[in-house]
Amino acid sequence: MNDYQRVILDLIRQLNGSKKLKQVTDILQGVKTSQNMVDLFLYRIQPFFGVFENKAFFDLKMTCDNLITDGYIILKSEDRLALSSLGLSTVSNFTLQANYQNVNGWRWHRRLPVFALSLQLATQMTANRYHKIAHYFPIVRDTTIQALCKRWWLGLKKDDEQVLAKNYHDELTSLLDSLTVSPEIVVDRLTGGQTIGLTAEQSANKHHLEKNTYDMQWLEALSQMMFLLERYPKSWPLLSQLLLDRPVAQLTESAQITYQLLLDGTSVADIQQQRRLKKSTIVDHYVQLIGLEIMPLDAFVNKANREYYEANKKMATSLKEARMNMPELSYDTLKLCLVSGR
């Protein structure tokens, strides 16, 4: 049993037998349906959202199937997943929040993979500048990341590139020394000068870790780095500029278009017609905007409905149950109120 499997079991435990396999994997992969967004707040499972966004569905499904076969997970009515007594005992001393305090899929969703690649490429760029290596193959081939790092480098104020490169190295050393996990988890993967970084598999073998457990420690290290850079940007001014702005970067591409229309002054009533999308799709965009705290609830729900919700809300474990408690509100309005955290 590795920590990757324990995270899956921990999520199923918190969902309390209410979700099917595809819904569990969608949450772990960060699929932004309105139902998933509402569930994050109903079950308080934000840290799990998108925590395995780089894992393929097939891999997650196979892991869950094996956990079912081995007796850790049982199928309830309508194939909803729950933990067996064996599964419960396995995670009796484990929770994602306690064992990996900085891993938070909701907070870092879509940003962490970009930061990881940007860190690797920026480290190679600055190290090669310091050693005056002009021609090399970039360690990251993704052209979007290359463009981000190029803009980052060109935007830095520099009189002496070697001094700037040394400052970057000093910042990186300081940041790595601040981590509560082994900094080698990160250092192993970095390329620069004559040093070629290891692959994840090579680093896992070096540290005698099972690959999925190593992946969790890699996530923890990167998450802690991002947390420190976001909270104390003046302590690491060069590195902090590698972070994507939160939280607009976490919106889906379609939701970003809707958000831009709202910024341009397009009314909520006109957006559906202008975008020629189903109402449910537009509501999903509003759910993202509220859930990510980009826009307030009162931009979409009138005062009377907000007050009715406040006066009648109770603990609910489903949208259907919430509707039974507050029949005067539509499902769409309830979704928006629930994700507002009110």
Side-chain angles (χ1 to χ4, degrees):
M1 176 66 61
N2 57 55
D3 284 356
Y4 172 66
Q5 295 167 311
R6 290 187 184 93
V7 169
I8 296 172
L9 294 180
D10 187 25
L11 173 59
I12 293 171
R13 173 175 57 186
Q14 295 201 43
L15 289 170
N16 198 27
S18 64
K19 301 300 173 185
K20 298 181 181 180
L21 174 60
K22 186 61 166 64
Q23 294 167 305
V24 170
T25 57
D26 278 355
I27 290 169
L28 290 168
Q29 290 186 297
V31 178
K32 282 193 176 81
T33 64
S34 61
Q35 183 61 59
N36 286 345
M37 297 281 285
V38 170
D39 286 341
L40 296 184
F41 291 87
L42 284 175
Y43 294 95
R44 294 175 172 80
I45 53 172
Q46 290 95 324
F48 293 91
F49 185 77
V51 72
F52 295 146
E53 59 186 307
N54 285 339
K55 295 283 187 181
F57 167 71
F58 176 79
D59 292 335
L60 277 171
K61 182 181 183 303
M62 184 169 62
T63 301
C64 290
D65 287 342
N66 290 338
L67 290 170
I68 293 170
T69 301
D70 294 340
Y72 295 95
I73 299 173
I74 56 176
L75 297 177
K76 298 180 67 177
S77 62
E78 300 180 338
D79 289 335
R80 300 181 190 279
L81 306 184
L83 296 192
S84 66
S85 56
L86 175 61
L88 288 169
S89 65
T90 300
V91 290
S92 61
N93 295 315
F94 178 94
T95 66
L96 175 61
Q97 292 93 325
N99 291 71
Y100 295 95
Q101 296 180 8
N102 294 284
V103 172
N104 189 322
W106 179 246
R107 181 169 186 173
W108 309 125
H109 178 57
R110 295 169 66 98
R111 300 169 68 209
L112 188 144
V114 174
F115 173 71
L117 294 173
S118 298
L119 177 70
Q120 289 173 299
L121 185 54
T123 300
Q124 182 189 31
M125 289 168 59
T126 52
N128 287 356
R129 294 275 182 171
Y130 183 79
H131 293 288
K132 299 182 179 179
I133 300 173
H135 303 288
Y136 56 92
F137 289 105
I139 195 66
V140 176
R141 301 300 179 90
D142 187 309
T143 55
T144 301
I145 301 299
Q146 290 179 2
L148 282 172
C149 287
K150 184 177 180 179
R151 287 199 299 271
W152 167 78
W153 179 256
L154 293 175
L156 298 176
K157 295 180 179 179
K158 47 187 177 292
D159 297 319
D160 187 321
E161 290 188 349
Q162 281 195 295
V163 170
L164 187 65
K166 171 117 182 8
N167 290 341
Y168 175 92
H169 176 271
D170 291 344
E171 278 192 24
L172 182 56
T173 300
S174 167
L175 181 60
L176 292 171
D177 286 343
S178 302
L179 301 182
T180 56
V181 297
S182 170
E184 286 191 29
I185 295 291
V186 177
V187 174
D188 284 348
R189 305 280 290 276
L190 300 179
T191 291
Q194 302 303 316
T195 301
I196 304 298
L198 302 181
T199 65
E201 290 79 7
Q202 290 170 333
S203 184
N205 290 334
K206 173 185 172 182
H207 295 283
H208 307 291
L209 292 172
E210 196 276 335
K211 173 61 167 54
N212 284 322
T213 296
Y214 170 85
D215 287 342
M216 289 302 304
Q217 293 197 18
W218 168 250
L219 281 177
E220 171 68 13
L222 290 174
S223 298
Q224 190 170 356
M225 291 174 75
M226 293 178 72
F227 170 79
L228 291 170
L229 291 174
E230 203 168 69
R231 188 165 187 179
Y232 308 107
K234 292 182 180 179
S235 297
W236 300 283
L238 301 178
L239 283 165
S240 64
Q241 293 180 58
L242 291 174
L243 292 177
L244 288 179
D245 290 337
R246 178 184 185 263
V248 175
Q250 294 172 287
L251 294 170
T252 61
E253 286 75 10
S254 185
Q256 289 184 33
I257 295 172
T258 296
Y259 177 51
Q260 188 57 55
L261 288 172
L262 289 167
L263 291 180
D264 292 342
T266 308
S267 70
V268 170
D270 290 340
I271 284 179
Q272 182 184 345
Q273 181 178 5
Q274 188 166 330
R275 294 217 56 199
R276 298 180 182 179
L277 296 173
K278 290 189 287 188
K279 181 182 178 183
S280 59
T281 302
I282 298 297
V283 171
D284 285 355
H285 296 167
Y286 300 158
V287 166
Q288 291 182 50
L289 290 168
I290 295 172
L292 289 167
E293 299 180 3
I294 297 172
M295 296 189 70
L297 179 64
D298 55 16
F300 308 99
V301 178
N302 63 43
K303 182 179 180 181
N305 282 341
R306 295 198 308 273
E307 291 178 346
Y308 175 82
Y309 174 80
E310 287 293 330
N312 295 279
K313 67 178 181 180
K314 299 176 183 177
M315 285 296 294
T317 57
S318 70
L319 190 59
K320 182 178 179 180
E321 185 179 335
R323 181 75 193 284
M324 291 175 63
N325 295 336
M326 292 170 278
E328 297 298 317
L329 299 182
S330 68
Y331 275 112
D332 288 342
T333 299
L334 271 174
K335 288 179 186 177
L336 300 178
C337 290
L338 285 167
V339 299
S340 71
R342 285 172 172 264

